[in-house]
Amino acid sequence: MIIIGEKINGTIPSVKKAIEERDEDFIRNLAINQAEAGAHYLDVCASTAPEQEVETLIWLMNIVQDAVDIPLCIDSPNPRTIEQVFKYARRPGIINSVSGEGDKCEIIYPLIQGTEWQVIALTCDNRGIPADVQTRLEITRIMVEKALKYDITPDRIHLDPLVLALSADNNSLLNFVETLKKAKELYPTIKVTSGLSNISFGMPLRKVINQNFLTIALYAGMDSAIMDPCNRDMLATLLATEALLGRDRYCRKYYNAYRKNKIGPVKA
């Protein structure tokens, strides 16, 4: 599975502090630790005031790219911000994100046309996040059809069905899985992704909910996840699930992660 490291995000208090203090070492260490834990992409999200976002994102991007040889996942709710910082990426990565809201597709798709860049596509529009599967699929169809006009094929799209909090919607996981399966029926090469923590919002023992969500989502066919690769329990869940699903030949990845002290009890 494709791991998109989530730790360089200004909504995290320690990262917000590092951004405010321009603590390059802190950001650099976050990048290195996630890379060493096995991340395939590193999400960079400023989450600052709009007038500071472009400058902050460029600062983050430069630090991360100097520290590790892993492509970026450029993260901003404002497509104009992504448009301004795009040229500072040194290799193709992932744009996070487009949706059915406003003119996001019309701004981002031309930007990545004719490149190897991929994009996360959120199943929401100007009406918000739909609770039903059919509306999510309709938004998916619209985003994919728009992408095809710019020669962006479904295999370059990571569809995020936007799993809702289980505490608010008892069918949250079931709807996520149904959206995933039906989207892949429509577009067999499309990738499906998700953040792992939204589903447990407002619940006790959130880690338990998140780990079980990851297991079920992987079994259903999820291709990537925005997650903390340094979380030993979550990484162990991912690797164990892939081994159980026959995706880890002779369980080599699982064994190697244990031997390298990435999963299981911390070895002295």
Side-chain angles (χ1 to χ4, degrees):
M1 194 191 73
I2 300 165
I3 300 173
I4 303 169
E6 69 177 6
K7 297 193 73 174
I8 303 175
N9 190 310
T11 62
I12 301 170
S14 58
V15 177
K16 179 181 179 182
K17 183 174 182 288
I19 289 173
E20 291 172 346
E21 297 177 356
R22 288 298 186 262
D23 186 344
E24 293 189 13
D25 287 340
F26 185 88
I27 302 299
R28 186 179 299 109
N29 287 334
L30 284 180
I32 292 170
N33 290 341
Q34 290 184 97
E36 290 179 347
H40 302 99
Y41 296 85
L42 292 184
D43 191 88
V44 286
C45 180
S47 293
T48 59
E51 62 272 14
Q52 300 172 340
E53 188 180 19
V54 169
E55 185 271 331
T56 302
L57 258 180
I58 294 170
W59 179 75
L60 290 171
M61 290 168 65
N62 286 335
I63 294 171
V64 172
Q65 291 178 113
D66 287 343
V68 297
D69 187 27
I70 289 179
L72 300 174
C73 178
I74 304 174
D75 188 347
S76 173
N78 186 343
R80 293 298 181 189
T81 294
I82 293 173
E83 189 178 41
Q84 290 182 69
V85 305
F86 183 74
K87 64 183 179 182
Y88 294 94
R90 300 172 191 172
R91 60 189 292 192
I94 301 174
I95 297 297
N96 188 4
S97 57
V98 297
S99 70
E101 298 171 294
D103 57 356
K104 288 186 176 183
C105 290
E106 286 73 17
I107 295 171
I108 297 300
Y109 286 162
L111 198 63
I112 65 173
Q113 183 179 18
T115 72
E116 296 179 4
W117 279 84
Q118 301 174 50
V119 62
I120 293 174
L122 312 179
T123 57
C124 60
D125 58 16
N126 294 327
R127 297 167 292 179
I129 302 174
D132 65 291
V133 172
Q134 194 54 46
T135 305
R136 294 182 193 187
L137 290 171
E138 179 60 22
I139 295 171
T140 298
R141 186 192 64 78
I142 291 169
M143 291 189 294
V144 171
E145 294 305 313
K146 284 183 178 180
L148 289 172
K149 293 179 181 178
Y150 295 94
D151 302 317
I152 300 166
T153 48
D155 61 295
R156 291 171 58 191
I157 298 173
H158 296 250
L159 181 72
D160 186 345
L162 294 174
V163 65
L164 299 174
L166 187 63
S167 57
D169 181 357
N170 200 224
N171 291 319
S172 177
L173 172 63
L174 299 177
N175 288 337
F176 176 90
V177 169
E178 187 178 353
T179 303
L180 179 158
K181 290 184 175 180
K182 289 189 174 180
K184 285 179 174 279
E185 287 175 7
L186 291 170
Y187 307 104
T189 60
I190 201 168
K191 298 178 178 70
V192 174
T193 192
S194 180
L196 300 182
S197 59
N198 291 346
I199 195 166
S200 64
F201 183 79
M203 298 187 70
L205 301 176
R206 294 188 66 181
K207 184 193 292 187
V208 175
I209 302 293
N210 297 342
Q211 287 176 269
N212 283 278
F213 168 57
L214 175 59
T215 296
I216 295 171
L218 280 171
Y219 179 69
M222 187 170 73
D223 303 278
S224 65
I226 303 167
M227 60 178 284
D228 177 4
C230 301
N231 184 315
R232 300 174 68 88
D233 291 336
M234 194 63 73
L235 184 60
T237 298
L238 187 158
L239 292 171
T241 303
E242 291 205 312
L244 288 165
L245 292 175
R247 300 174 185 171
D248 181 4
R249 188 172 174 81
Y250 301 119
C251 305
R252 286 171 181 161
K253 292 180 182 178
Y254 186 86
Y255 280 125
N256 286 337
Y258 179 75
R259 292 188 185 112
K260 292 177 180 178
N261 197 27
K262 292 182 179 181
I263 60 174
V266 178
K267 301 172 187 175

